[in-house]
Amino acid sequence: MLFAFLAIARADVGADIPWTTIEAEAMHGNGTVLGPCYGSHRVEMESSGQQCVQLARAGEHLEFTASSRSDSLVLRYNLPDAAAGGGLESK
């Protein structure tokens, strides 16, 4: 299971930042948008705007078009714990 979420920058709050961010839930794709959710122990609570996209099966994807030249991409993801806890092994 892959949860993709990216932060969105608001130009009217905080410091000026020299990058552009795109929210996963604003991308094109066939994953499931989760949230917003405001409960404890939920992946949505760790995401900006309490929303993320779940890519749970082979073939699910997200697509976006860069609006300008770029030299990097930051992707944040979450692998769930085993149902009984204790962790999972993933490759």
Side-chain angles (χ1 to χ4, degrees), residues 61-76:
H61 66 279
L62 292 170
E63 298 177 8
F64 70 97
T65 301
S67 58
S68 62
R69 291 183 56 149
S70 61
D71 60 5
S72 64
L73 172 70
V74 176
L75 176 69
R76 296 188 176 121

Side-chain angles (χ1 to χ4, degrees), residues 3 24-27 29-36 44 50-55 62:
F3 295 93
E25 58 271 15
M27 294 179 185
N30 60 356
T32 303
V33 176
L34 302 178
E44 299 96 311
Q50 285 71 47
Q51 288 187 292
C52 60
V53 177
Q54 179 182 25
L55 304 176
L62 292 170

Side-chain angles (χ1 to χ4, degrees), residues 3-61:
F3 295 93
F5 45 94
L6 302 170
I8 189 167
R10 289 185 49 182
D12 59 336
V13 177
D16 291 334
I17 51 176
W19 59 82
T20 300
T21 56
I22 304 168
E23 293 283 351
E25 58 271 15
M27 294 179 185
H28 299 287
N30 60 356
T32 303
V33 176
L34 302 178
C37 179
Y38 303 97
S40 59
H41 307 292
R42 301 289 304 248
V43 69
E44 299 96 311
M45 286 297 295
E46 300 298 322
S47 307
S48 61
Q50 285 71 47
Q51 288 187 292
C52 60
V53 177
Q54 179 182 25
L55 304 176
R57 293 170 192 74
E60 291 186 343
H61 66 279

